[in-house]
Amino acid sequence: MPRITLEVSEELSQQLAQVGDRLPELLALSLQQPAVPAQVYRYILDFLASNPTPEQIAEFKPTPEMQERLRTLLTRSNTGELTPTELKELDEYERIEHLVVMIKAGNLSYLTN
């Protein structure tokens, strides 16, 4: 297994000592990028945190930029040109869409009364 030598501050050295054997795992996790940009999650969380009305929830949709990115990914998927990273991104957009649909479905009773 390769070894890496780093020079770090005394404070960081003490913090790393507390991590112990988990350091390789934590380094690997820190190098992983989210499947979709952080602003996508932030957009959804900001909306949910705003305490939206059932009508606002029913009308909630992705930003134009998100819609365009999704169209691009779907087109690349249909032509078999998706990279593994893009496939993860598309899968994450599908999970997000599923969650939003579930949230909207939970509010349908409020809209029909």
Side-chain angles (χ1 to χ4, degrees):
M1 180 180 301
R3 286 189 168 269
I4 298 174
T5 303
L6 300 172
E7 289 185 29
V8 296
S9 68
E10 185 63 35
E11 180 182 342
L12 181 56
S13 175
Q14 291 171 3
Q15 290 174 348
L16 291 172
Q18 292 175 358
V19 171
D21 294 340
R22 293 192 55 225
L23 183 58
E25 173 191 355
L26 294 174
L27 284 172
L29 286 172
S30 71
L31 294 174
Q32 293 178 359
Q33 297 296 315
V36 296
Q39 66 258 25
V40 171
Y41 299 110
R42 193 172 313 114
Y43 171 73
I44 296 165
L45 291 173
D46 286 347
F47 171 75
L48 294 173
S50 73
N51 197 21
T53 65
E55 291 81 10
Q56 290 171 318
I57 291 171
E59 295 171 6
F60 181 74
K61 61 184 177 184
T63 66
E65 295 81 15
M66 289 180 214
Q67 292 175 22
E68 180 60 31
R69 180 61 181 158
L70 189 52
R71 271 192 292 278
T72 299
L73 291 170
L74 290 171
T75 299
R76 290 180 56 78
S77 177
N78 290 336
T79 59
E81 299 175 356
L82 276 183
T83 66
T85 301
E86 290 172 326
L87 179 58
K88 287 179 184 178
E89 183 180 2
L90 182 58
D91 288 344
E92 185 65 9
Y93 273 115
E94 289 175 352
R95 273 190 285 281
I96 290 169
E97 179 184 20
H98 179 73
L99 290 172
V100 170
V101 166
M102 290 174 54
I103 291 168
K104 288 182 177 191
N107 280 285
L108 287 179
S109 63
Y110 292 105
L111 296 173
T112 57
N113 291 335

